[in-house]
Amino acid sequence: MASSPDVTSSADNTPENPDSGSAARRGRVRLRRAAVMAVPATCVAAGLAVLTAQGALGVQFAISGMPFVVTADKLEGEGFAQFGALDHMIENSPNEGDTGGQVLVVTSVVKKGKLTNLCQSVDLGGIQLVLTAGNKGTKVDVENLAIDSDEITGDAAFNNIEIGRDSSTFDKVNKQGPPGVYGQQADKVVITDLYQHNYGATAAVFKLPDLHMRFGGKGCPQ
């Protein structure tokens, strides 16, 4: 995410009430495709080369290469960080297509968080596997969540954000990125109308109240 005059790290930018006052409005950031990575399209190839040379990984396992969607009415996080990474598939994966088995992603880390009305869906070849939770008054709890995405949208508000920090020096979360990789971190984040197109995720704790899994013709609403 590129730094701009519209982003403020002032303590007045409180995620609990992101719509109050001009300072909060300045702290709101619209997340769009690849904007969270601050990587122009012309630099993607160079970024892949750098991350490959560094052996940078997002999630610490071989991804299937089948993306999944996550949506939530609201994500509230304490301790937040993002950095660019590469996810890898197994050798000769049937899902690699023209990617060479590597997917450029942005890793989003939340130290402690809550999600309201969570939905997760994956396309299994014309049939969607859909998971829902946290939609009956009790929120989903996560700890040390790291999720790798190539697209994120929503309305975001940050508290005390640092943009352009070396990802290996993060101190607001329990996960660091590779040395020399562009990153950002914040004390708090609130994202409403969250949409993520993901390739992998890990979490130390993932509590899903009112869990419901089903097969259907439609995935999570966008």
Side-chain angles (χ1 to χ4, degrees):
M1 181 182 296
S3 177
S4 73
D6 293 329
V7 180
T8 178
S9 58
S10 168
D12 292 335
N13 179 23
T14 54
E16 291 79 7
N17 188 13
D19 291 323
S20 62
S22 60
R25 286 194 295 273
R26 290 195 300 270
R28 293 176 62 84
V29 181
R30 187 68 178 177
L31 300 180
R32 289 300 186 191
R33 180 186 296 266
V36 289
M37 301 180 65
V39 179
T42 55
C43 296
V44 169
L48 280 167
V50 170
L51 290 170
T52 300
Q54 294 174 334
L57 287 175
V59 297
Q60 298 299 307
F61 53 80
I63 62 170
S64 69
M66 297 179 66
F68 59 97
V69 168
V70 169
T71 64
D73 288 349
K74 181 183 285 188
L75 164 66
E76 303 162 274
E78 294 189 9
F80 176 79
Q82 285 182 323
F83 59 94
L86 270 181
D87 282 351
H88 298 267
M89 304 175 205
I90 62 171
E91 187 175 357
N92 298 319
S93 169
N95 299 320
E96 70 177 38
D98 59 359
T99 66
Q102 297 178 328
V103 181
L104 182 63
V105 295
V106 59
T107 298
S108 302
V109 183
V110 177
K111 187 174 182 180
K112 291 185 178 181
K114 294 183 181 295
L115 296 109
T116 304
N117 194 21
L118 172 71
C119 179
Q120 176 180 302
S121 62
V122 56
D123 189 341
L124 301 176
I127 298 177
Q128 297 278 342
L129 175 60
V130 182
L131 176 155
T132 59
N135 54 5
K136 295 183 179 179
T138 303
K139 299 176 182 179
V140 171
D141 277 327
V142 295
E143 292 184 17
N144 296 329
L145 172 69
I147 192 161
D148 289 1
S149 317
D150 67 351
E151 181 179 359
I152 304 173
T153 65
D155 290 305
F158 301 94
N159 181 268
N160 294 330
I161 190 169
E162 299 172 348
I163 300 173
R165 182 165 177 153
D166 188 299
S167 69
S168 69
T169 68
F170 288 155
D171 56 12
K172 298 181 186 295
V173 296
N174 295 329
K175 182 181 180 69
Q176 286 76 43
V181 170
Y182 173 99
Q184 59 184 24
Q185 66 171 1
D187 286 341
K188 295 182 179 180
V189 62
V190 173
I191 304 177
T192 56
D193 298 324
L194 174 65
Y195 169 90
Q196 294 178 318
H197 187 264
N198 304 319
Y199 281 91
T202 62
V205 174
F206 201 20
K207 296 181 179 179
L208 299 168
D210 304 307
L211 172 66
H212 181 207
M213 295 181 69
R214 60 176 175 82
F215 291 100
K218 294 183 178 180
C220 298
Q222 299 179 21

